[in-house]
Structure formats: C-alpha cells, structure tokens
Amino acid sequence: NKGQSYPEYDRLYTGGVEPGKLVIGLVYGMIDHNRTGGVETDYNYSQYLDTYREVLTELPGLKITKIEPQASLQNLRLASGKTASLDLKGLIDLQDGVGPAGFSYTEQQELKKLAGAVLYQHWITVEAPVKVKIGAQPEAPVTVKILGYFGAESDSTPHKYGIKNSDVFLYNGHSYIGFGPLDPSRFTASDFPSSYQILFVDGCVSYNYYEKDYIPLKSGGTKNLDLITNGLEAPAWNSSNAVGKLVAKLLDGSLSSYATDRKS
C-alpha cells in the first residue's frame, strides 16, 4: 500500500500450478437480475468475451484447446441446417454483430444462442506459446494458459477449481454482500496451491468481504499471495476493461507496478 508494488513476474513465469505454464483463471458470474432471454443475453456474457478481446491485443495467438465438460464450437447447426464453426475471435466478432459471411441477423442471433450454451458453465481453455527472459537467464519457452468459466452463481465449485488450478485468479461478478461463493469461510487451505498467486475479486466493495481472511488459508501468507479488491462500488459496465487490461499487463513484459496497472 506504500510506494511501488509489483507482481512477482519471475515467479509467475517459472511454473506454479503447472510446470512451464502461466495459468490464468477467469470466472465470470451472472450479473442481470431480471434476464428475459438466454444466457447469452446476460450483460456479463459480453464482458466475459470483452476480457478476451483485451488479452488478444497482447497475445493474438491464443487458441481454444479444450472445453470441459466436453463440448465443441465446431459445426454448430442452425434450425435451417446451416453450420458454422467459431474460434475465439469468431466468438467476439459474433458478440459484436459480425457473424460468419452469409448469415442473416436472425441466423446470427440463433448462432449466438448456440455458442452461449457451449460457453455457459463450461471451462474453456485457451493457450498460446511465448518466450520469456528473466534477468540474465537464457530465453525460455512458456505456455500462457487461460481457464475461462462463464455463468457462476452461488455454488463455490467453479471458484474453488479456478483458485486451485491458477497462478492468477480473477473473478468478475456480484459480491453477494459477502455471503457468496467466494466467502473465505467456505474455503480451507487445501483449496489453494502452495505456489505464488494473485487473486483479483472484481465485485462491489469486495475489499469489505474478500480480503484478509484469505491470508491464513494460503501457505506462506502474503509472501505467496497478492490480493486485489475494490474499495468502492464497482459497476458491471465495462468491467472487462479492468480485468482484461490487468491480464494484458501481466503478459506484456513491461514490468508494470500495481499502481501503474490501476491507472491504465
């Protein structure tokens, strides 16, 4: 809280939860209170995809490598029999109203619904190879892996999975006034990896609810855990910019401090 403070980049890029990989977990909760359409109409669905848009500006080589439970964005079939396959950029374009060539507006909406069903409460793995040089050490290959999940609500299961399997874990959604799925009282030390980790809880006034109570649960305490929370109300509107830009800054190699990231 005083002076310059930095993520420990050298520890992030030397293998934490998976050797040779930097694993970033993204968990997005449902945000609309009165949603009338499908899951793809929830405002946080667009924010989830916008986060990937921000990251793609830094790492355009990201590719979808796995979807769990098993599902596919290939050969999505419309009622008319037309099919379309979507990659990560295609998902974002579709959200922006730029669907595959030859698809009408109505067909794009149908395709968007099909894609939303695949993304909803599924773990989507996207990966890209990078090369990292730390200090005087020779350049080494590292895989950036992003584990994404959209559709979290009151169940702690996706949060526990994301935290256990990520070097950087970011949640975007409701704070549930501190009684939600990220309540530290729902966690034990076994839910955290022993390696260095960054946790960003992007919910309204998350500092009040999801902060210091995590520290005793983490092996090594603050030496192995950086906590980022919101001290004020945080609107859902454009929240993806905060999450996406933080991830992009962790990937760009500029050694930005937390204070610099905040300003960006």
Side-chain angles (χ1 to χ4, degrees):
N1 293 327
K2 297 178 181 179
Q4 292 293 318
S5 179
Y6 293 82
E8 297 186 37
Y9 295 93
D10 55 333
R11 298 177 72 187
L12 287 177
Y13 280 100
T14 50
V17 294
E18 289 190 45
K21 294 187 178 184
L22 167 59
V23 184
I24 299 169
L26 297 176
V27 173
Y28 271 65
M30 306 297 283
I31 204 75
D32 291 344
H33 294 290
N34 299 301
R35 190 178 68 255
T36 57
V39 295
E40 79 286 350
T41 67
D42 187 275
Y43 182 73
N44 237 21
Y45 180 80
S46 65
Q47 295 304 288
Y48 176 58
L49 292 178
D50 278 350
T51 298
Y52 287 110
R53 184 204 312 279
E54 293 283 353
V55 179
L56 280 170
T57 62
E58 188 59 46
L59 202 59
L62 282 169
K63 305 291 185 187
I64 297 172
T65 58
K66 186 187 297 184
I67 301 177
E68 298 176 300
Q70 187 172 1
S72 178
L73 289 163
Q74 304 302 302
N75 298 314
L76 296 171
R77 183 174 295 275
L78 276 60
S80 65
K82 292 174 70 171
T83 62
S85 297
L86 299 170
D87 57 10
L88 187 58
K89 185 177 183 302
L91 283 169
I92 297 167
D93 287 344
L94 184 63
Q95 181 63 29
D96 291 341
V98 184
F103 280 66
S104 68
Y105 173 81
T106 300
E107 289 172 331
Q108 287 184 36
Q109 295 308 299
E110 184 182 352
L111 183 58
K112 193 173 174 181
K113 185 178 289 291
L114 292 173
V118 173
L119 267 61
Y120 178 63
Q121 295 188 343
H122 283 72
W123 287 101
I124 312 297
T125 300
V126 300
E127 296 180 293
V130 298
K131 291 185 177 180
V132 177
K133 190 177 191 306
I134 299 173
Q137 299 177 23
E139 190 175 68
V142 176
T143 297
V144 172
K145 174 179 175 180
I146 299 179
L147 279 172
Y149 184 97
F150 167 73
E153 295 191 85
S154 59
D155 182 11
S156 292
T157 303
H159 303 277
K160 289 187 175 184
Y161 181 85
I163 287 174
K164 183 71 172 182
N165 293 283
S166 302
D167 302 306
V168 181
F169 174 82
L170 306 103
Y171 165 70
N172 178 279
H174 289 297
S175 281
Y176 294 92
I177 318 178
F179 296 100
L182 279 167
D183 187 333
S185 68
R186 298 192 181 196
F187 290 75
T188 67
S190 64
D191 293 316
F192 292 78
S194 59
S195 52
Y196 170 68
Q197 193 171 36
I198 297 173
L199 250 60
F200 179 16
V201 183
D202 189 21
C204 273
V205 203
S206 54
Y207 177 82
N208 285 0
Y209 318 122
Y210 308 115
E211 244 286 340
K212 62 183 180 181
D213 290 340
Y214 287 130
I215 295 170
L217 300 173
K218 180 72 176 181
S219 175
T222 57
K223 292 184 182 298
N224 284 332
L225 181 63
D226 287 355
L227 286 167
I228 307 172
T229 49
N230 295 322
L232 299 172
E233 292 89 348
W237 181 76
N238 274 353
S239 56
S240 58
N241 289 344
V243 178
K245 286 182 178 179
L246 175 63
V247 175
K249 282 289 184 181
L250 290 172
L251 298 176
D252 75 358
S254 66
L255 298 182
S256 297
S257 69
Y258 284 119
T260 304
D261 285 344
R262 180 194 68 215
K263 293 173 184 176
S264 66

